[in-house]
Amino acid sequence: MSLLAFDRVDAHYGNARILHGVSFEIGAGERVAILGRNGVGKTTIVNTLCGVTTIRAGAVCIRGVRYDSLPNYLAARSGIASVLQGRGILPNLTIEENLLLGAAVSRPGPWTLKTVYELFPALGERAGNPGLGLSGGQQQMLAIGRALMANPDLLVLDEPSEGLAPVIVDELARLFNHLANEGTAIMLIEQNIRLIQRVADRYHVLSKGEVTETGTLAGMTTQQLQDHITI
């Protein structure tokens, strides 16, 4: 049974249809990349999981259960946590308060404030400081730590390398591989080729709201991957 599957999903913002019959699935422990240029609907996949869009056709399946609409809490309660593009740090909350938001679903598992601070010591050292007082890389660590506090089985990452220095991107690659090796499935929405190559095993190409190609990254050249991103 897959953790997450989109089954011919049409997703709309109001009357605007963004996803056109999108189908893909992610199983336990898999590392899957969603590829495509800006504006093709990649973030709409995340927003559909978060209950932001309206599903007009098809269904989202979570652990084999079909849903033709998703309340905004359902994915998190079901073990799917998202790191949103732009990080979504709440400016009026401290680092620790931002992290505790991730634990609101009360799923059991290894991730607590203690283990997140062990993973990201800089967060623990500044726990009482405002979340936006961190550097860009540290804010991304805060967003990831908040998602981990939900003890997810699937971590959805929307453009996690955006605006970050290459050395920080390399740290993210090591982190995502560590999480995957520990059993957390990864859905990576990304345009940084180096990060995709280091993390993902399979890919789906999205173009104009449709999945146009599916495959494995094994043996794919950097140029071929670049071509998929710019379709």
Side-chain angles (χ1 to χ4, degrees):
M1 182 187 302
S2 61
L3 292 176
L4 172 68
F6 274 48
D7 182 12
R8 295 169 290 182
V9 170
D10 285 3
H12 293 237
Y13 298 111
N15 291 323
R17 182 171 67 163
I18 307 300
L19 299 185
H20 301 254
V22 166
S23 295
F24 66 87
E25 64 179 71
I26 301 175
E30 286 198 293
R31 313 174 193 197
V32 178
I34 307 294
L35 308 179
R37 63 177 176 80
N38 289 334
V40 298
K42 302 188 303 296
T43 293
T44 300
I45 291 174
V46 184
N47 288 342
T48 299
L49 280 174
C50 296
V52 175
T53 68
T54 300
I55 299 173
R56 297 276 177 89
V60 175
C61 304
I62 300 177
R63 301 180 188 276
V65 179
R66 292 176 61 86
Y67 299 93
D68 55 17
S69 65
L70 292 175
N72 55 17
Y73 59 82
L74 181 63
R77 282 191 179 176
S78 302
I80 301 171
S82 299
V83 178
L84 303 177
Q85 187 176 20
R87 301 165 193 143
I89 305 303
L90 297 185
N92 59 326
L93 298 183
T94 66
I95 290 168
E96 187 156 305
E97 288 168 339
N98 269 281
L99 288 172
L100 288 171
L101 287 177
V105 294
S106 300
R107 294 190 85 241
W111 293 106
T112 63
L113 282 175
K114 180 177 182 294
T115 54
V116 168
Y117 288 152
E118 288 172 351
L119 181 64
F120 303 128
L123 300 184
E125 293 165 3
R126 306 178 185 184
N129 292 356
L132 290 184
L134 298 169
S135 68
Q138 289 169 337
Q139 286 184 33
Q140 191 62 278
M141 297 304 177
L142 176 54
I144 294 167
R146 182 176 58 195
L148 292 177
M149 289 284 288
N151 283 292
D153 298 315
L154 170 61
L155 186 61
V156 177
L157 301 149
D158 191 359
E159 304 284 359
S161 75
E162 187 176 47
L164 300 182
V167 65
I168 303 299
V169 175
D170 287 342
E171 290 181 14
L172 289 180
R174 287 190 290 270
L175 170 61
F176 298 154
N177 281 315
H178 168 73
L179 293 173
N181 289 336
E182 293 295 314
T184 303
I186 301 290
M187 184 170 85
L188 178 64
I189 297 171
E190 184 56 75
Q191 297 198 56
N192 185 297
I193 291 176
R194 180 173 172 81
L195 184 59
I196 295 166
Q197 289 175 320
R198 293 184 62 183
V199 174
D201 295 323
R202 295 197 298 114
Y203 69 88
H204 303 285
V205 178
L206 202 65
S207 179
K208 297 180 180 178
E210 301 180 22
V211 174
T212 57
E213 185 177 338
T214 294
T216 62
L217 279 118
M220 181 179 289
T221 67
T222 298
Q223 185 58 55
Q224 287 171 326
L225 184 54
Q226 179 66 53
D227 291 343
H228 285 319
I229 291 173
T230 57
I231 287 174

mmCIF file of all heavy atoms in Angstrom, residues 98-134:
data_model
loop_
_atom_site.group_PDB
_atom_site.id
_atom_site.type_symbol
_atom_site.label_atom_id
_atom_site.label_comp_id
_atom_site.label_asym_id
_atom_site.label_seq_id
_atom_site.Cartn_x
_atom_site.Cartn_y
_atom_site.Cartn_z
ATOM 1 N N ASN A 98 7.615 27.953 17.227
ATOM 2 C CA ASN A 98 7.429 27.477 15.852
ATOM 3 C C ASN A 98 7.563 25.963 15.776
ATOM 4 O O ASN A 98 6.780 25.291 15.109
ATOM 5 C CB ASN A 98 8.444 28.140 14.923
ATOM 6 C CG ASN A 98 7.943 29.435 14.288
ATOM 7 O OD1 ASN A 98 7.185 29.408 13.326
ATOM 8 N ND2 ASN A 98 8.358 30.561 14.851
ATOM 9 N N LEU A 99 8.556 25.408 16.461
ATOM 10 C CA LEU A 99 8.742 23.956 16.461
ATOM 11 C C LEU A 99 7.545 23.239 17.077
ATOM 12 O O LEU A 99 7.086 22.212 16.561
ATOM 13 C CB LEU A 99 10.013 23.590 17.229
ATOM 14 C CG LEU A 99 11.338 23.916 16.554
ATOM 15 C CD1 LEU A 99 12.499 23.668 17.512
ATOM 16 C CD2 LEU A 99 11.524 23.096 15.281
ATOM 17 N N LEU A 100 7.030 23.769 18.170
ATOM 18 C CA LEU A 100 5.931 23.103 18.869
ATOM 19 C C LEU A 100 4.662 23.043 18.023
ATOM 20 O O LEU A 100 3.823 22.160 18.227
ATOM 21 C CB LEU A 100 5.654 23.795 20.204
ATOM 22 C CG LEU A 100 6.718 23.568 21.285
ATOM 23 C CD1 LEU A 100 6.464 24.464 22.487
ATOM 24 C CD2 LEU A 100 6.752 22.100 21.708
ATOM 25 N N LEU A 101 4.531 23.958 17.061
ATOM 26 C CA LEU A 101 3.380 23.886 16.156
ATOM 27 C C LEU A 101 3.363 22.553 15.406
ATOM 28 O O LEU A 101 2.301 22.000 15.134
ATOM 29 C CB LEU A 101 3.424 25.038 15.152
ATOM 30 C CG LEU A 101 3.081 26.427 15.672
ATOM 31 C CD1 LEU A 101 3.254 27.444 14.557
ATOM 32 C CD2 LEU A 101 1.662 26.467 16.212
ATOM 33 N N GLY A 102 4.544 22.045 15.085
ATOM 34 C CA GLY A 102 4.617 20.791 14.363
ATOM 35 C C GLY A 102 4.132 19.605 15.166
ATOM 36 O O GLY A 102 3.737 18.577 14.593
ATOM 37 N N ALA A 103 4.175 19.721 16.486
ATOM 38 C CA ALA A 103 3.760 18.617 17.352
ATOM 39 C C ALA A 103 2.268 18.635 17.645
ATOM 40 O O ALA A 103 1.775 17.776 18.392
ATOM 41 C CB ALA A 103 4.547 18.658 18.664
ATOM 42 N N ALA A 104 1.535 19.581 17.052
ATOM 43 C CA ALA A 104 0.116 19.728 17.384
ATOM 44 C C ALA A 104 -0.712 18.501 17.035
ATOM 45 O O ALA A 104 -1.757 18.256 17.646
ATOM 46 C CB ALA A 104 -0.457 20.961 16.677
ATOM 47 N N VAL A 105 -0.242 17.699 16.057
ATOM 48 C CA VAL A 105 -1.007 16.516 15.663
ATOM 49 C C VAL A 105 -0.815 15.350 16.626
ATOM 50 O O VAL A 105 -1.517 14.344 16.532
ATOM 51 C CB VAL A 105 -0.644 16.067 14.236
ATOM 52 C CG1 VAL A 105 -1.087 17.111 13.223
ATOM 53 C CG2 VAL A 105 0.845 15.795 14.106
ATOM 54 N N SER A 106 0.176 15.476 17.526
ATOM 55 C CA SER A 106 0.397 14.481 18.606
ATOM 56 C C SER A 106 0.610 13.068 18.067
ATOM 57 O O SER A 106 0.100 12.095 18.618
ATOM 58 C CB SER A 106 -0.788 14.489 19.584
ATOM 59 O OG SER A 106 -0.946 15.761 20.173
ATOM 60 N N ARG A 107 1.393 12.937 16.981
ATOM 61 C CA ARG A 107 1.752 11.611 16.502
ATOM 62 C C ARG A 107 2.963 11.108 17.279
ATOM 63 O O ARG A 107 3.935 11.840 17.479
ATOM 64 C CB ARG A 107 2.096 11.624 15.002
ATOM 65 C CG ARG A 107 0.947 11.949 14.095
ATOM 66 C CD ARG A 107 1.322 11.693 12.634
ATOM 67 N NE ARG A 107 1.118 10.295 12.266
ATOM 68 C CZ ARG A 107 2.062 9.479 11.852
ATOM 69 N NH1 ARG A 107 3.311 9.868 11.781
ATOM 70 N NH2 ARG A 107 1.773 8.242 11.515
ATOM 71 N N PRO A 108 2.937 9.865 17.730
ATOM 72 C CA PRO A 108 4.097 9.325 18.448
ATOM 73 C C PRO A 108 5.270 9.100 17.505
ATOM 74 O O PRO A 108 5.084 8.896 16.297
ATOM 75 C CB PRO A 108 3.571 8.000 19.007
ATOM 76 C CG PRO A 108 2.486 7.591 18.064
ATOM 77 C CD PRO A 108 1.844 8.875 17.609
ATOM 78 N N GLY A 109 6.465 9.146 18.037
ATOM 79 C CA GLY A 109 7.647 8.906 17.221
ATOM 80 C C GLY A 109 8.885 9.478 17.875
ATOM 81 O O GLY A 109 8.834 10.018 18.988
ATOM 82 N N PRO A 110 10.006 9.403 17.174
ATOM 83 C CA PRO A 110 11.284 9.784 17.789
ATOM 84 C C PRO A 110 11.539 11.273 17.872
ATOM 85 O O PRO A 110 12.449 11.693 18.601
ATOM 86 C CB PRO A 110 12.307 9.119 16.860
ATOM 87 C CG PRO A 110 11.620 9.089 15.530
ATOM 88 C CD PRO A 110 10.168 8.838 15.824
ATOM 89 N N TRP A 111 10.766 12.092 17.130
ATOM 90 C CA TRP A 111 11.110 13.508 17.051
ATOM 91 C C TRP A 111 10.418 14.312 18.132
ATOM 92 O O TRP A 111 9.198 14.370 18.222
ATOM 93 C CB TRP A 111 10.769 14.053 15.670
ATOM 94 C CG TRP A 111 11.638 13.450 14.611
ATOM 95 C CD1 TRP A 111 11.274 12.513 13.688
ATOM 96 C CD2 TRP A 111 13.019 13.699 14.396
ATOM 97 N NE1 TRP A 111 12.341 12.176 12.910
ATOM 98 C CE2 TRP A 111 13.436 12.877 13.325
ATOM 99 C CE3 TRP A 111 13.965 14.532 15.016
ATOM 100 C CZ2 TRP A 111 14.744 12.881 12.851
ATOM 101 C CZ3 TRP A 111 15.265 14.535 14.535
ATOM 102 C CH2 TRP A 111 15.648 13.721 13.471
ATOM 103 N N THR A 112 11.231 14.930 18.977
ATOM 104 C CA THR A 112 10.796 15.798 20.064
ATOM 105 C C THR A 112 11.664 17.052 20.016
ATOM 106 O O THR A 112 12.593 17.148 19.201
ATOM 107 C CB THR A 112 10.987 15.112 21.418
ATOM 108 O OG1 THR A 112 12.404 14.871 21.615
ATOM 109 C CG2 THR A 112 10.244 13.775 21.480
ATOM 110 N N LEU A 113 11.385 18.006 20.892
ATOM 111 C CA LEU A 113 12.268 19.171 20.967
ATOM 112 C C LEU A 113 13.710 18.740 21.201
ATOM 113 O O LEU A 113 14.646 19.268 20.582
ATOM 114 C CB LEU A 113 11.820 20.105 22.085
ATOM 115 C CG LEU A 113 10.617 21.004 21.802
ATOM 116 C CD1 LEU A 113 10.230 21.769 23.057
ATOM 117 C CD2 LEU A 113 10.906 21.975 20.661
ATOM 118 N N LYS A 114 13.909 17.773 22.059
ATOM 119 C CA LYS A 114 15.264 17.317 22.388
ATOM 120 C C LYS A 114 15.976 16.774 21.152
ATOM 121 O O LYS A 114 17.119 17.153 20.868
ATOM 122 C CB LYS A 114 15.202 16.252 23.479
ATOM 123 C CG LYS A 114 16.568 15.699 23.896
ATOM 124 C CD LYS A 114 16.402 14.708 25.036
ATOM 125 C CE LYS A 114 17.754 14.175 25.519
ATOM 126 N NZ LYS A 114 18.433 13.366 24.478
ATOM 127 N N THR A 115 15.303 15.894 20.398
ATOM 128 C CA THR A 115 15.975 15.286 19.251
ATOM 129 C C THR A 115 16.142 16.278 18.104
ATOM 130 O O THR A 115 17.129 16.212 17.367
ATOM 131 C CB THR A 115 15.218 14.029 18.771
ATOM 132 O OG1 THR A 115 13.841 14.354 18.525
ATOM 133 C CG2 THR A 115 15.288 12.925 19.819
ATOM 134 N N VAL A 116 15.219 17.220 17.949
ATOM 135 C CA VAL A 116 15.389 18.250 16.925
ATOM 136 C C VAL A 116 16.565 19.161 17.281
ATOM 137 O O VAL A 116 17.381 19.512 16.419
ATOM 138 C CB VAL A 116 14.100 19.064 16.737
ATOM 139 C CG1 VAL A 116 14.358 20.319 15.880
ATOM 140 C CG2 VAL A 116 13.023 18.214 16.077
ATOM 141 N N TYR A 117 16.696 19.513 18.550
ATOM 142 C CA TYR A 117 17.823 20.344 18.972
ATOM 143 C C TYR A 117 19.146 19.594 18.839
ATOM 144 O O TYR A 117 20.188 20.201 18.562
ATOM 145 C CB TYR A 117 17.636 20.820 20.407
ATOM 146 C CG TYR A 117 16.558 21.867 20.583
ATOM 147 C CD1 TYR A 117 15.871 21.989 21.788
ATOM 148 C CD2 TYR A 117 16.238 22.752 19.556
ATOM 149 C CE1 TYR A 117 14.884 22.953 21.962
ATOM 150 C CE2 TYR A 117 15.259 23.710 19.716
ATOM 151 C CZ TYR A 117 14.576 23.810 20.928
ATOM 152 O OH TYR A 117 13.609 24.761 21.089
ATOM 153 N N GLU A 118 19.115 18.290 19.016
ATOM 154 C CA GLU A 118 20.334 17.508 18.798
ATOM 155 C C GLU A 118 20.707 17.502 17.314
ATOM 156 O O GLU A 118 21.887 17.542 16.967
ATOM 157 C CB GLU A 118 20.133 16.077 19.284
ATOM 158 C CG GLU A 118 20.089 15.951 20.810
ATOM 159 C CD GLU A 118 19.696 14.567 21.262
ATOM 160 O OE1 GLU A 118 19.292 13.730 20.425
ATOM 161 O OE2 GLU A 118 19.785 14.304 22.486
ATOM 162 N N LEU A 119 19.702 17.457 16.445
ATOM 163 C CA LEU A 119 19.945 17.486 15.009
ATOM 164 C C LEU A 119 20.405 18.865 14.553
ATOM 165 O O LEU A 119 21.313 18.988 13.724
ATOM 166 C CB LEU A 119 18.666 17.091 14.257
ATOM 167 C CG LEU A 119 18.734 17.031 12.736
ATOM 168 C CD1 LEU A 119 19.706 15.944 12.282
ATOM 169 C CD2 LEU A 119 17.345 16.781 12.140
ATOM 170 N N PHE A 120 19.775 19.907 15.105
ATOM 171 C CA PHE A 120 20.086 21.294 14.739
ATOM 172 C C PHE A 120 20.474 22.073 16.002
ATOM 173 O O PHE A 120 19.644 22.795 16.577
ATOM 174 C CB PHE A 120 18.875 21.965 14.084
ATOM 175 C CG PHE A 120 18.340 21.267 12.867
ATOM 176 C CD1 PHE A 120 16.993 20.935 12.770
ATOM 177 C CD2 PHE A 120 19.171 20.955 11.803
ATOM 178 C CE1 PHE A 120 16.486 20.317 11.644
ATOM 179 C CE2 PHE A 120 18.675 20.333 10.669
ATOM 180 C CZ PHE A 120 17.336 20.007 10.588
ATOM 181 N N PRO A 121 21.719 21.948 16.464
ATOM 182 C CA PRO A 121 22.105 22.612 17.720
ATOM 183 C C PRO A 121 21.886 24.119 17.716
ATOM 184 O O PRO A 121 21.584 24.705 18.768
ATOM 185 C CB PRO A 121 23.600 22.267 17.835
ATOM 186 C CG PRO A 121 23.766 21.009 17.047
ATOM 187 C CD PRO A 121 22.801 21.112 15.914
ATOM 188 N N ALA A 122 22.017 24.771 16.555
ATOM 189 C CA ALA A 122 21.844 26.225 16.507
ATOM 190 C C ALA A 122 20.439 26.639 16.922
ATOM 191 O O ALA A 122 20.239 27.733 17.483
ATOM 192 C CB ALA A 122 22.145 26.749 15.105
ATOM 193 N N LEU A 123 19.448 25.783 16.671
ATOM 194 C CA LEU A 123 18.078 26.101 17.073
ATOM 195 C C LEU A 123 17.945 26.045 18.593
ATOM 196 O O LEU A 123 17.292 26.897 19.200
ATOM 197 C CB LEU A 123 17.089 25.133 16.417
ATOM 198 C CG LEU A 123 17.059 25.100 14.892
ATOM 199 C CD1 LEU A 123 15.963 24.160 14.408
ATOM 200 C CD2 LEU A 123 16.868 26.503 14.309
ATOM 201 N N GLY A 124 18.553 25.042 19.203
ATOM 202 C CA GLY A 124 18.487 24.922 20.655
ATOM 203 C C GLY A 124 19.178 26.071 21.360
ATOM 204 O O GLY A 124 18.711 26.551 22.401
ATOM 205 N N GLU A 125 20.285 26.524 20.776
ATOM 206 C CA GLU A 125 21.030 27.623 21.387
ATOM 207 C C GLU A 125 20.249 28.929 21.370
ATOM 208 O O GLU A 125 20.488 29.815 22.196
ATOM 209 C CB GLU A 125 22.354 27.812 20.642
ATOM 210 C CG GLU A 125 23.311 26.632 20.819
ATOM 211 C CD GLU A 125 24.457 26.661 19.805
ATOM 212 O OE1 GLU A 125 24.513 27.640 19.016
ATOM 213 O OE2 GLU A 125 25.264 25.720 19.806
ATOM 214 N N ARG A 126 19.298 29.057 20.441
ATOM 215 C CA ARG A 126 18.547 30.306 20.292
ATOM 216 C C ARG A 126 17.045 30.077 20.449
ATOM 217 O O ARG A 126 16.236 30.830 19.909
ATOM 218 C CB ARG A 126 18.818 30.905 18.906
ATOM 219 C CG ARG A 126 20.289 31.085 18.608
ATOM 220 C CD ARG A 126 20.514 31.632 17.225
ATOM 221 N NE ARG A 126 21.920 31.700 16.882
ATOM 222 C CZ ARG A 126 22.400 32.207 15.754
ATOM 223 N NH1 ARG A 126 21.554 32.682 14.850
ATOM 224 N NH2 ARG A 126 23.683 32.234 15.519
ATOM 225 N N ALA A 127 16.671 29.073 21.191
ATOM 226 C CA ALA A 127 15.274 28.625 21.246
ATOM 227 C C ALA A 127 14.290 29.733 21.586
ATOM 228 O O ALA A 127 13.149 29.723 21.118
ATOM 229 C CB ALA A 127 15.136 27.475 22.241
ATOM 230 N N GLY A 128 14.701 30.700 22.393
ATOM 231 C CA GLY A 128 13.799 31.767 22.803
ATOM 232 C C GLY A 128 13.798 32.968 21.886
ATOM 233 O O GLY A 128 13.035 33.922 22.117
ATOM 234 N N ASN A 129 14.596 32.919 20.824
ATOM 235 C CA ASN A 129 14.678 34.041 19.889
ATOM 236 C C ASN A 129 13.569 33.960 18.835
ATOM 237 O O ASN A 129 13.041 32.877 18.560
ATOM 238 C CB ASN A 129 16.030 34.044 19.184
ATOM 239 C CG ASN A 129 17.178 34.354 20.118
ATOM 240 O OD1 ASN A 129 16.969 34.650 21.292
ATOM 241 N ND2 ASN A 129 18.394 34.259 19.615
ATOM 242 N N PRO A 130 13.227 35.084 18.206
ATOM 243 C CA PRO A 130 12.225 35.045 17.132
ATOM 244 C C PRO A 130 12.687 34.157 15.983
ATOM 245 O O PRO A 130 13.875 34.142 15.623
ATOM 246 C CB PRO A 130 12.125 36.513 16.687
ATOM 247 C CG PRO A 130 12.629 37.303 17.852
ATOM 248 C CD PRO A 130 13.678 36.461 18.507
ATOM 249 N N GLY A 131 11.760 33.454 15.393
ATOM 250 C CA GLY A 131 12.104 32.546 14.307
ATOM 251 C C GLY A 131 12.730 33.239 13.117
ATOM 252 O O GLY A 131 13.603 32.678 12.453
ATOM 253 N N LEU A 132 12.304 34.469 12.825
ATOM 254 C CA LEU A 132 12.835 35.191 11.675
ATOM 255 C C LEU A 132 14.173 35.848 11.971
ATOM 256 O O LEU A 132 14.757 36.498 11.106
ATOM 257 C CB LEU A 132 11.834 36.238 11.184
ATOM 258 C CG LEU A 132 10.578 35.685 10.512
ATOM 259 C CD1 LEU A 132 9.704 36.820 9.989
ATOM 260 C CD2 LEU A 132 10.934 34.735 9.369
ATOM 261 N N GLY A 133 14.692 35.679 13.203
ATOM 262 C CA GLY A 133 16.007 36.205 13.542
ATOM 263 C C GLY A 133 17.143 35.316 13.083
ATOM 264 O O GLY A 133 18.307 35.622 13.303
ATOM 265 N N LEU A 134 16.815 34.213 12.419
ATOM 266 C CA LEU A 134 17.810 33.261 11.951
ATOM 267 C C LEU A 134 18.259 33.590 10.530
ATOM 268 O O LEU A 134 17.563 34.302 9.799
ATOM 269 C CB LEU A 134 17.223 31.848 11.962
ATOM 270 C CG LEU A 134 16.787 31.296 13.319
ATOM 271 C CD1 LEU A 134 15.985 30.010 13.127
ATOM 272 C CD2 LEU A 134 17.992 31.037 14.212
#
